[in-house]
Amino acid sequence: MDKIEHKFLQINGLKLHVAEIGSESSPAVIFLHGFPEIWYTWRHQMIAVANAGFRAIAPDFRGYGLSDPPAEPEKATFTDFVNDIASILDFLAISKVFVVAKDFGTMVAYPFVLHHPEKIAGIVTINMTFMPPAAFKSHPLPEGFYVTRWREPGRAEADFGRLDVKTVVRNIYILFSQSEIPIANENQEIMDLVKPLTPLPSWMTEEDLAIYGDLYEKSGFQTPLQVPYRSYMSLGPAEEVPKVEAPMLVILGEDDYALKVPGMHEYITSGDVKKYIPNMEAIHVPHGTHFVHEQFPDKVNQLILTFLDSNKHHSKV
């Protein structure tokens, strides 16, 4: 961990934080986090790929972690995040890159890959595959579904505001590590789904939680609630379903609650996804949860490294 360097880059009018390890002459891998994550979620993967001869780069999205928030967080969009990633790579003079993305990070990766196919050596997604708006039709979920609640302006702010930031992050990690979709009853808030003495997942330490808690204390939840939850419709026209030609590996935790979203597992495991990503392989990790890369880092690292090595020839400019 001590070898990971931290840089602040002036990007699109903001100071964005980037964690980095590995030689600048090595093939580059950029890691795109989800929520409630920051660059730190990739600590195990960054060290593993750097030790294997790659350059690992993990930014905090704008408004997350140590990166500056946008001037008007309530107007932030996925497009802002996509533009930031392209600008970070330009700033670092990286013309070809492997993209590793988790959760909503895949929604940043997808338009980035489509707009910059010449920059892409390969793609790994964790617990989510690419889903063009026209491709996946989600089925209605109850009003108490956490995504529905967090899209409602002010609802999550009031819910989170009853607790200290570290407890909010703790609760979300506990909820998202379970195999059932977080759904509250009509007279219950999402934070009430976690009993106060519920332990952290076994793979997460209090020290890990403290790092997440400190950085969300700094950033707050304003931008994270906007992107992804309140700006989902900014992902683009539903009728546009272009193909991704780059090789892609999808790593799925078998017990991830997200696979229980109606229609999700069917979409990923059916042939439908191959219409959009013909060169795709999906691997299930037994007992893996939504945070499979932190839960089983050795297993996930091995899958990523095998993919990187087999596609290394694509990383040459």
Side-chain angles (χ1 to χ4, degrees), residues 262-284:
M264 179 75 74
H265 193 263
E266 293 77 5
Y267 168 74
I268 293 172
T269 54
S270 73
D272 286 356
V273 68
K274 294 277 183 130
K275 296 176 192 171
Y276 315 110
I277 310 136
N279 192 6
M280 186 202 100
E281 179 185 11
I283 296 178
H284 288 73

Side-chain angles (χ1 to χ4, degrees), residues 20-301:
E20 187 176 350
I21 184 171
S23 167
E24 290 187 6
S25 61
S26 299
V29 185
I30 192 164
F31 293 88
L32 306 180
H33 65 77
F35 175 78
E37 296 157 342
I38 47 174
W39 76 269
Y40 184 77
T41 194
W42 298 115
R43 60 199 178 281
H44 305 298
Q45 286 70 46
M46 292 180 72
I47 292 167
V49 304
N51 288 341
F54 293 86
R55 178 185 184 185
I57 300 153
D60 286 332
F61 290 129
R62 59 170 60 196
Y64 281 78
L66 294 171
S67 288
D68 283 349
E72 298 179 282
E74 69 282 0
K75 294 182 180 176
T77 67
F78 277 96
T79 301
D80 296 329
F81 286 31
V82 174
N83 293 339
D84 288 344
I85 296 308
S87 298
I88 286 169
L89 293 175
D90 287 344
F91 188 100
L92 297 174
I94 294 170
S95 54
K96 203 87 170 177
V97 70
F98 287 99
V99 179
V100 180
K102 177 187 174 282
D103 192 60
F104 91 84
T106 61
M107 301 177 196
V108 178
Y110 184 53
F112 172 72
V113 165
L114 290 176
H115 292 137
H116 305 280
E118 75 290 347
K119 290 182 183 288
I120 309 304
I123 310 145
V124 179
T125 65
I126 296 178
N127 286 353
M128 188 83 78
T129 186
F130 286 167
M131 291 183 294
F136 174 72
K137 301 297 184 194
S138 61
H139 302 267
L141 279 154
E143 175 277 334
F145 178 41
Y146 79 96
V147 172
T148 307
R149 291 284 184 87
W150 290 354
R151 280 182 185 162
E152 185 184 327
R155 184 76 179 256
E157 288 86 339
D159 185 17
F160 294 0
R162 299 176 296 150
L163 306 167
D164 63 86
V165 169
K166 187 174 168 183
T167 301
V168 173
V169 176
R170 173 192 283 271
N171 286 356
I172 295 171
Y173 261 92
I174 290 169
L175 279 177
F176 284 9
S177 296
Q178 296 170 1
S179 59
E180 297 303 319
I181 301 171
I183 297 173
N185 296 324
E186 187 178 347
N187 298 316
Q188 185 182 39
E189 296 302 323
I190 299 300
M191 287 294 105
D192 297 331
L193 292 172
V194 181
K195 293 184 172 63
L197 296 177
T198 305
L200 282 170
S202 60
W203 44 264
M204 189 179 202
T205 67
E206 287 292 339
E207 289 75 18
D208 293 333
L209 178 65
I211 290 172
Y212 284 111
D214 286 349
L215 291 177
Y216 274 94
E217 188 79 54
K218 177 195 175 294
S219 68
F221 294 101
Q222 213 176 351
T223 308
L225 285 169
Q226 174 62 17
V227 183
Y229 299 103
R230 296 172 187 169
S231 60
Y232 182 72
M233 298 316 291
S234 72
L235 282 172
E239 63 274 7
E240 287 185 18
V241 189
K243 276 188 182 176
V244 173
E245 300 296 347
M248 180 170 171
L249 171 66
V250 181
I251 301 171
L252 302 166
E254 219 166 51
D255 293 341
D256 181 11
Y257 75 86
L259 292 181
K260 292 189 177 176
V261 171
M264 179 75 74
H265 193 263
E266 293 77 5
Y267 168 74
I268 293 172
T269 54
S270 73
D272 286 356
V273 68
K274 294 277 183 130
K275 296 176 192 171
Y276 315 110
I277 310 136
N279 192 6
M280 186 202 100
E281 179 185 11
I283 296 178
H284 288 73
V285 177
H287 312 297
T289 67
H290 194 62
F291 304 102
V292 65
H293 63 302
E294 293 187 86
Q295 180 188 13
F296 297 122
D298 293 343
K299 174 68 174 170
V300 170
N301 292 349

